[in-house]
Amino acid sequence: MQTFFIVAILLLGFLITFQIAKASEYVSVLRGEEKSKRQSNRVNAFLLLMFLILGLIGVYYCNVRLSPKILHESASVQGEKIDTMLYITIAITGFVFIITQISLFWFAFKYQASEERKAYYYPHNNRWEVIWTVIPAIALTVLVGFGIFYWFKITGNAPNNAMTVEVTGSQFQWDFRYPGKDGVLGKKFYREIDPANNNPLGQVWDDPANYDDVHVTKDMHIVVNRPVKLIIGAKDVIHDVGLPAFRMKMDAVPGTPTTMWFTPKFTTQQMREKTGNPNFEYEISCDQMCGKGHTGMRGIVIVETQEEFDRWLATQKPQYYAAFPDKDPSNQKKDTTQAKPTSAMVGSINSVKTKQ
Ligand SMILES: [Cu+2]
């Protein structure tokens, strides 16, 4: 039944179009073909000119209206270069856009069909072809060249004083790992991933470098004016570390670590003062459509001073102690000073026993 209606509607649509075309043909015959042609030429030329004027006013209006909504000044040193590149690209393409669009629609209006002149047949000019091929090619090469230069910089070796944070994406959250006092991230192996036993990242516990690695979720702490190198990975599908305030972005690919580094310029606190927004937070978003909960993959980047960072890190326990509580020195201390078990505790111990 549905198919029948679709076919019927299509047939009707075809019939109506055909009838309209036929009717307008009769009208032009009655009016005199030349006259109606001239009239429709004039109308079309005028509409094209209107389209240009209204379109350009629209472009200007959107620009004025939406410019307060664009991102504030880059919050990273490297982001400044990326902004400059973006502005140069917009300036060049904007200039070309304005010139070509005005020429296109103005010519269509000015040189509309007329009895007073005949179109000049001008099929080919080598010199012009070379000019309009070579100039854009040079402009694009320069733009792409700068892009590649900064790309290699950001993805290349970080300065020696850089701190390291490992970022792991999964459906649907971000995990962050800090190397601890030794400055080395312990080895990982995907088969070791075992969230039930406090090993969500698959840290290899035989590697001593893992003993002091700190694992946190949701918030990533980094230090102002100190380069930070992100080592990025994923556990399931491709995610993407998006840091718009810093103008940084990098895919998180399962099995293939990616890296990027940048230097934050302002602490979260400074940014709150700068933006006048007391609730400002640096956001880490997932910039890759990674599944149903993609939009909820929001993390917070806290940029703070070195002292604040050290204080925060000192409050974090290495993941190793979560996986092996008996190795935790604070637990061992507790054991020696522990009071006699209360009756409630004995009850719970017994219930655990009976469960087994
Ligand atoms: Cu994602």
Side-chain angles (χ1 to χ4, degrees), residues 120 179 240 243 275 307 313 338 349:
Y120 175 53
D240 188 294
L243 301 167
T275 56
E307 297 83 65
L313 195 62
Q338 212 170 39
I349 289 165

Side-chain angles (χ1 to χ4, degrees), residues 282-301:
Y282 287 118
E283 184 178 275
I284 169 168
S285 57
C286 182
D287 287 359
Q288 189 73 262
M289 272 296 290
C290 59
K292 248 201 255 169
H294 159 71
T295 49
M297 262 183 91
R298 182 176 186 257
I300 302 290
V301 183

Side-chain angles (χ1 to χ4, degrees), residues 12-62:
L12 258 174
F14 177 75
L15 255 171
I16 290 168
T17 320
F18 185 72
Q19 290 302 333
I20 289 174
K22 233 175 157 188
S24 63
E25 213 180 294
Y26 290 141
V27 169
S28 74
V29 168
L30 286 173
R31 265 202 197 153
E33 196 149 354
E34 277 310 307
K35 203 180 157 200
S36 80
K37 217 180 187 181
R38 239 178 294 144
Q39 200 176 13
S40 85
N41 268 336
R42 262 202 304 276
V43 170
N44 279 323
F46 175 74
L47 286 178
L48 282 167
L49 203 60
M50 277 300 105
F51 183 80
L52 168 73
I53 293 166
L54 293 177
L56 287 180
I57 291 173
V59 168
Y60 177 76
Y61 175 73
C62 286

Side-chain angles (χ1 to χ4, degrees), residues 187-194 199-204 210:
K187 282 196 188 100
K188 275 193 329 183
F189 185 49
Y190 74 98
R191 282 182 190 233
E192 301 289 331
I193 293 175
D194 186 4
N199 194 0
L201 295 177
Q203 286 170 269
V204 177
N210 264 319

